[in-house]
């Protein structure tokens, strides 16, 4: 039994060994085997670097006579370790391609490197183009007919490379090879070197010799290319230039019905520069490749580059872009209805509609609210266009950078709060003054609807919504027609809910039944208005100083006192009290706004402030040149979204520890007051206002963060930037 077991085990082992030997014998040369071949080469034709071996190879053992004009081939073999890689002619987001300088003992003409089809190598949020494993970079050469033929020709290659995994290591070597001169023909098989099969195998990985042609056009965000494809496949375009497209973006392919013609949208690089009329790509599906040269579409004219109107897909893409911005603006207008500055005013109007359910208003009056909002936003757009034409640099929220405007809003909101508390002048001599207040809050007349819309826009101006930022940024830098369209979409979104309530009985039926509760609710709404005043006072302090805030607080107190007195007396006394109240509002606003100083309402003991450094373009450039991670926060005291993010995200302990790391720098740009440097920075990212958050990985990739932040979003972006710096560090 034991002998039978032994025989059986021996047979199984012998069979396994035989199968393994047969399998290994049938496999192509592996990286390890090629490294073994490298080891057998002369020392002068090979080199060892960290995590890589390199060698200079020849397809033939010798060089034949000059009368034979057939091209011969040399090759640079790059053999990195597992999980390490080298680069294609365009490394992508980071890295450097290998380069070689040639010298020879006789007159030889060396050609360009023949690059095999590369693979896309994702690293963090980057995409690079390169090669994993052994790669032979073939270079053609020919001997000039006038060359003297010694017995041996010495060729020298000064080689440099970059090999990367999570970090990158550069390498340099001088490689030499000596080839005897032969009078045999190139077709003589005896001339082939032992490395000839590697050359043959590499030729199968080279792109096709045919050059395809295409046309391209340029828009604000995309490079749009039209070409005919060799066959249907999952194609990708790899540009020769690294500053042409965003390598990590999804290429949008639009195939024609015949499957051969295609248009592709390529997102432009942040470093895009239009310096050539012709750009070159590699069209690859991973198995085969074709070189493609694209020329600028002359039919589009200069408009495709300068921003004017153009034809073909460019016009379609631009129309789609402005359409998307109109959608964002409309959604942003809807969101404005629930912002804390706006909701009390709209609640007042809803209460008035509920109380007037049984009333009979003319249909035309229902459009007053919509018209009031449209007119207000159109006036805002007109003001912006006039200021832009005059050369004034402006952004969204520019009016809130003026202390006088903040002071005026404080008095307006206090007046509304007093009106909600029924503290309204009631003298006969000032019926016009009190009548305006009634029109703004009660009734369903056209004037009431119109002025409610105007007031809603005024109180909404400090409240920005995340969906508005991109649309408003485009509006600020777009042609006048697009600016007006975007503000119109914003107005329509803002007006829609209340317009439906006043216009459609089905929506009006959703309002609660009128009753005594309405008076209590109306008075309650005074407190959100007063809370808004508290916030505006804090903004005012940041723009001026404590003396300026004292002026404003004193003015608000006396203003409220005079209006209260006006509500208790009648006739000339009431009129006089109102006039005094208006004088106090004007004088206190002016005096308070003039008190501009450096004192700030921010707490110096706050950890958030300890980490932060003031933003400047010079500081940002210095830190990026020193390969530091930089987090830029563009904010303002009057920006509600900014303050929410700072309390929710930037006060998080883990994020503060991340920001406090040695190679991480946190720059804060405070746009509470007018600042041209910050506006120029915002404009660079097509933003008209704050917030804006950008994370930089040294001088490399930059990442724009969402406008609503969590600590993890910021921490992840910083870690990705650190990983990129480690990856590209030399």
């Amino acid at each position: 039994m034991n002998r039978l077991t032994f025989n059986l085990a021996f047979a199984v082992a012998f069979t396994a060994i035989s199968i393994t030997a047969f399998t290994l014998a049938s496999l192509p040369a592996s990286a390890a085997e090629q490294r073994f071949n490298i080891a057998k080469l002369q020392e002068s034709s090979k080199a060892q670097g960290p995590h890589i071996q390199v060698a200079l190879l020849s397809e033939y053992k010798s060089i034949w006579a000059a009368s034979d004009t057939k091209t011969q081939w040399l090759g640079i073999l790059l053999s990195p370790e597992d999980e390490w890689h080298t680069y294609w002619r365009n490394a992508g987001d980071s890295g450097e391609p290998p380069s070689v300088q040639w010298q020879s003992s006789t007159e030889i003409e060396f050609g360009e490197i023949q690059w095999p089809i590369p693979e896309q190598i994702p690293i963090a949020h980057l995409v690079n183009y390169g090669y994993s494993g052994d790669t032979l970079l073939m270079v053609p050469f020919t001997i000039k007919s006038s060359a003297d033929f010694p017995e041996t020709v010495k060729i020298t290659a000064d080689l440099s490379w970059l090999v990367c995994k999570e970090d990158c290591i550069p390498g340099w070597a001088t490689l030499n090879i000596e080839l005897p001169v032969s009078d045999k023909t190139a077709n003589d098989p005896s001339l082939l070197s032992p490395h000839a099969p590697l050359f043959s195998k590499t030729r199968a990985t080279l792109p096709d010799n045919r050059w395809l042609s295409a046309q391209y056009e340029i828009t604000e965000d995309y490079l749009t290319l039209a070409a005919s494809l060799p066959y249907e496949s999952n194609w990708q375009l790899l540009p020769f230039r690294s500053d042409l497209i965003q390598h990590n973006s999804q290429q949008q392919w639009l195939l024609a019905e015949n499957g051969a013609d295609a248009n592709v949208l390529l997102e432009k690089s942040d470093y895009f520069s239009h310096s050539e009329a012709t750009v070159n790509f590699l069209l690859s599906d991973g198995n085969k490749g074709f070189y493609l040269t694209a020329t600028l579409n002359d039919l589009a004219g200069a408009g495709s580059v300068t921003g004017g109107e153009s034809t073909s897909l460019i016009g379609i893409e631009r129309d789609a872009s402005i359409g998307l911005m109109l959608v964002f603006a409309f959604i942003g207008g809807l969101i404005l209805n629930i912002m804390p500055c706006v909701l009390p005013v709209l609640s007042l109007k809803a209460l008035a509609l509920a109380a007037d359910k049984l009333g009979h208003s003319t249909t035309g009056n229902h459009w007053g609210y919509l018209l009031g909002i449209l007119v207000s936003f159109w006036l805002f757009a007109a003001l912006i266009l006039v200021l832009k034409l005059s050369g004034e640099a402006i952004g969204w929220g520019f009016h809130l950078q003026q202390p006088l405007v903040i002071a005026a809003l404080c008095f307006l909101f206090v007046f509304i709060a007093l009106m909600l508390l029924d503290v309204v002048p009631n003298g006969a001599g000032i019926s016009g003054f009190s009548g305006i207040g009634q029109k703004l809050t009660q009734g369903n007349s056209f004037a009431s609807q119109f002025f409610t819309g105007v007031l809603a826009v005024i109180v909404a101006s400090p409240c920005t919504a995340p969906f508005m930022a991109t649309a408003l940024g485009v509006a600020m830098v777009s042609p006048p027609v697009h600016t007006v369209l975007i503000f119109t979409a914003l107005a329509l979104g803002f007006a829609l809910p209340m317009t439906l309530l006043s216009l459609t009985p089905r929506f009006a039926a959703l309002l609660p039944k009128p009753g005594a509760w309405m008076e209590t609710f109306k008075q309650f709404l005074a407190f959100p208005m007063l809370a808004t005043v508290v916030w505006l006072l804090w903004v005012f302090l940041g723009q001026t100083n404590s003396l300026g805030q004292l002026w404003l607080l004193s003015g608000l107190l006396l203003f409220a006192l005079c209006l209260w007195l006006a509500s208790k007396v009648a006739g000339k006394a009431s009129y006089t009290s109102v006039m005094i109240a208006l004088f106090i509002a004007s004088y206190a606003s002016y005096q308070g706004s003039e008190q501009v100083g450096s004192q700030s309402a921010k707490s110096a003991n706050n950890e958030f402030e300890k980490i932060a450094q003031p933003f400047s373009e010079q500081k940002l450039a210095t830190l990026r040149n020193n390969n530091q991670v930089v987090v830029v926060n563009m904010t303002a005291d009057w920006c509600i979204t900014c303050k929410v993010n700072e309390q929710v995200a930037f006060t998080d302990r883990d994020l503060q520890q991340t920001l406090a790391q040695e190679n991480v720098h946190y720059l804060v740009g405070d746009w509470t007051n007018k600042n041209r440097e910050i506006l120029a920075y915002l404009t660079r990212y097509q933003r008209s206002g704050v917030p804006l958050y950008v994370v930089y990985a040294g001088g490399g990739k930059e990442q724009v963060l969402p406008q609503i932040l969590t600590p993890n979003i910021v921490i992840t972006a910083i870690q990705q930037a650190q990983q990129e710096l480690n990856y590209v560090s030399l």
Side-chain angles (χ1 to χ4, degrees):
M1 188 67 179
N2 292 336
R3 186 179 184 84
L4 178 62
T5 303
F6 173 80
N7 290 337
L8 182 61
F10 178 81
V12 171
F14 179 81
T15 303
I17 292 172
S18 300
I19 293 175
T20 302
F22 176 79
T23 303
L24 291 175
S26 63
L27 287 176
S30 64
E33 185 178 344
Q34 290 174 7
R35 293 190 189 107
F36 175 77
N37 290 335
I38 289 177
K40 292 182 179 180
L41 295 174
Q42 294 182 358
E43 291 297 325
S44 61
S45 62
K46 65 182 179 180
Q48 175 83 41
H51 306 287
I52 191 172
Q53 289 181 306
V54 298
L56 175 59
L57 307 179
S58 173
E59 186 176 16
Y60 295 90
K61 295 178 181 177
S62 59
I63 294 178
W64 51 77
S67 59
D68 193 331
T69 59
K70 186 174 180 180
T71 300
Q72 291 183 250
W73 294 88
L74 295 171
I76 300 294
L77 180 62
L78 305 172
S79 185
E81 295 178 0
D82 292 342
E83 300 183 1
W84 291 76
H85 60 267
T86 54
Y87 291 98
W88 184 54
R89 64 185 304 159
N90 170 18
D93 282 317
S94 62
E96 287 289 336
S99 64
V100 59
Q101 300 293 327
W102 298 97
Q103 298 178 9
S104 61
S105 59
T106 190
E107 294 186 67
I108 292 179
E109 292 183 352
F110 295 94
E112 299 294 328
I113 294 176
Q114 304 299 298
W115 300 92
I117 298 172
E119 59 182 299
Q120 296 189 36
I121 305 171
I123 302 291
H125 58 282
L126 308 178
V127 169
N128 297 326
Y129 308 127
Y131 309 102
S132 300
D134 294 350
T135 304
L136 184 68
L137 302 180
M138 297 170 52
V139 177
F141 74 93
T142 56
I143 298 179
K144 293 184 179 181
S145 57
S146 60
D148 295 328
F149 287 97
E151 293 183 359
T152 302
V153 174
K154 181 179 180 181
I155 298 175
T156 300
D158 291 319
L159 177 65
S160 66
W161 67 85
L162 190 67
V163 61
C164 299
K165 186 180 178 183
E166 293 180 354
D167 54 355
C168 292
I169 302 175
W172 302 268
T174 298
L175 307 177
N176 298 291
I177 189 171
E178 293 186 1
L179 299 173
V181 176
S182 173
D183 56 359
K184 294 182 179 179
T185 64
N187 295 326
D188 191 331
S190 64
L191 284 177
L192 292 174
S193 74
H195 305 292
L198 184 57
F199 283 80
S200 298
K201 181 180 177 180
T202 299
R203 287 189 177 92
T205 67
L206 297 178
D208 195 282
N209 288 330
R210 290 178 295 161
W211 276 78
L212 306 179
S213 60
Q215 287 189 319
Y216 74 96
E217 299 173 7
I218 302 171
T219 68
E220 187 174 354
D221 299 312
Y222 290 95
L223 187 147
T224 309
L225 186 142
S228 296
L229 302 177
Y231 53 86
E232 288 190 48
S233 185
N234 185 22
W235 295 106
Q236 289 286 298
L237 285 170
L238 281 59
F240 281 20
R241 284 171 41 186
S242 61
D243 63 344
L244 204 61
I245 67 172
Q246 295 279 10
H247 304 291
N248 62 347
S249 65
Q250 185 72 29
Q251 298 184 6
Q252 303 178 44
W253 288 80
L254 307 173
L255 297 177
E257 293 183 359
N258 59 13
D261 297 326
N263 294 289
V264 57
L265 296 181
L266 304 170
E267 188 175 349
K268 289 194 320 189
S269 168
D270 294 334
Y271 309 101
F272 177 85
S273 61
H274 185 260
S275 58
E276 300 175 357
T278 301
V279 291
N280 296 322
F281 296 86
L282 171 65
L283 178 70
S284 172
D285 62 357
N287 296 316
K288 293 199 65 175
F290 298 86
Y291 288 125
L292 181 148
T293 182
T295 56
L296 185 65
N297 183 10
D298 293 332
L299 295 178
S304 61
V305 178
T306 62
E309 295 301 322
S310 61
T311 60
S312 185
L313 280 173
I314 301 301
I316 296 174
E317 186 271 328
R318 183 179 287 119
D319 291 342
S321 177
I322 188 62
L324 184 62
M325 292 305 102
L326 293 177
V327 172
F328 280 154
F330 183 82
I331 295 174
L334 286 174
I335 293 176
L336 275 179
N337 285 277
I338 60 173
M339 298 302 284
C341 306
V342 183
L343 192 58
V345 174
L346 300 187
S347 299
L348 280 178
K349 196 63 200 172
L351 291 176
L353 291 174
D356 197 43
K357 274 187 176 181
L358 300 178
H360 302 282
S361 300
T362 60
T363 303
N365 294 343
H366 296 308
W367 300 105
Y369 178 75
L370 173 61
L371 186 60
I373 289 179
L374 283 171
V375 169
S376 300
F377 273 105
W378 286 339
L379 288 175
F380 217 128
L383 176 60
I384 288 173
L385 292 176
V386 169
L387 291 174
K388 286 173 62 179
L389 289 175
S390 68
E392 182 74 16
I394 59 171
W396 181 253
F398 68 95
H399 54 298
L400 297 175
Q401 295 173 334
Q402 305 299 326
L404 196 60
V405 174
I406 298 296
L409 287 174
C410 286
F411 283 103
L412 174 63
F413 287 175
V414 167
F415 172 72
I416 295 174
L418 292 174
M419 205 165 51
L420 292 169
L421 295 172
D422 295 324
V423 180
V424 178
N426 58 12
I430 53 171
S431 58
F433 181 83
S434 59
I436 293 177
Q438 295 296 319
K439 287 180 180 180
L440 290 176
T441 57
Q442 297 179 6
N444 200 26
S445 66
F446 182 86
S448 172
Q449 297 270 17
F450 182 87
F451 283 113
T452 301
V454 173
L455 180 62
V457 173
I458 292 174
V459 300
S461 61
C463 302
T464 56
F467 282 99
M468 293 168 56
T470 304
L472 288 173
V474 173
M476 294 294 178
V477 298
S478 293
V481 173
H482 289 176
T483 300
V484 174
L485 285 175
I486 289 174
F487 274 91
T488 301
L490 179 60
L492 292 175
F494 190 27
L496 180 62
M498 194 59 63
T499 301
L500 291 177
L501 282 177
S502 62
L503 185 64
T504 308
R506 179 175 300 178
F507 284 94
L510 299 176
L511 293 172
K513 295 180 179 181
W517 65 271
M518 296 174 60
E519 183 66 21
T520 302
F521 183 65
K522 184 189 75 169
Q523 294 180 2
F524 169 77
L525 291 175
F527 295 97
M529 302 306 293
L530 293 174
T532 304
V533 174
V534 172
W535 167 60
L536 289 172
L537 285 167
W538 178 72
V539 174
F540 190 80
L541 174 61
Q543 294 176 328
T544 58
N545 55 27
S546 57
L547 182 58
Q549 190 183 54
L550 179 61
W551 269 104
L552 183 55
L553 282 169
S554 301
L556 289 171
L557 177 63
L558 293 175
F559 176 78
L561 175 62
C562 289
L563 290 183
W564 175 78
L565 289 173
S567 69
K568 297 300 181 181
V569 297
K572 291 183 179 180
S574 181
Y575 179 83
T576 302
S577 295
V578 171
M579 290 300 102
I580 294 175
L582 292 176
F583 172 77
I584 290 172
S586 302
Y587 186 74
S589 297
Y590 173 77
Q591 289 294 336
S593 301
E594 289 296 304
Q595 306 300 320
V596 179
S598 60
Q599 184 173 342
S600 173
K602 301 180 181 73
S603 170
N605 295 322
N606 195 304
E607 290 297 325
F608 173 71
E609 296 300 323
K610 290 181 180 179
I611 299 172
Q613 306 172 53
F615 170 85
S616 72
E617 286 284 5
Q618 182 179 0
K619 184 179 294 184
L620 175 62
T622 301
L623 291 172
R624 295 191 70 188
N625 290 335
N626 291 332
N627 283 331
Q628 301 292 296
V629 175
V630 186
V631 181
V632 173
N633 173 9
M634 289 298 173
T635 182
D637 287 346
W638 41 261
C639 169
I640 296 177
T641 306
C642 304
K643 298 301 141 186
V644 170
N645 284 334
E646 287 166 11
Q647 292 300 316
V648 172
F650 287 99
T651 56
D652 179 77
R653 184 178 300 274
D654 292 337
L655 176 54
Q656 289 183 354
Q657 291 177 351
T658 303
L659 291 171
Q661 294 179 23
E662 184 177 354
N663 71 329
V664 179
H665 301 267
Y666 179 48
L667 304 185
V668 177
D670 190 348
W671 208 40
T672 302
N673 295 317
K674 193 173 183 179
N675 185 302
R676 288 184 174 270
E677 186 177 39
I678 293 178
L679 178 59
Y681 181 87
L682 294 171
T683 304
R684 191 159 76 236
Y685 289 92
Q686 294 189 341
R687 294 291 179 85
S688 63
V690 292
L692 173 63
Y693 308 102
V694 187
V695 178
Y696 298 90
K701 190 69 176 179
E702 56 195 61
Q703 184 178 358
V704 178
L705 303 185
Q707 288 191 293
I708 301 297
L709 294 180
T710 64
N712 286 338
I713 290 176
V714 187
I715 291 173
T716 300
I718 293 173
Q719 291 174 343
Q720 288 177 342
Q722 290 173 325
Q723 183 179 3
E724 178 182 339
L725 282 180
N726 292 334
Y727 177 74
V728 300
S729 62
L730 301 180

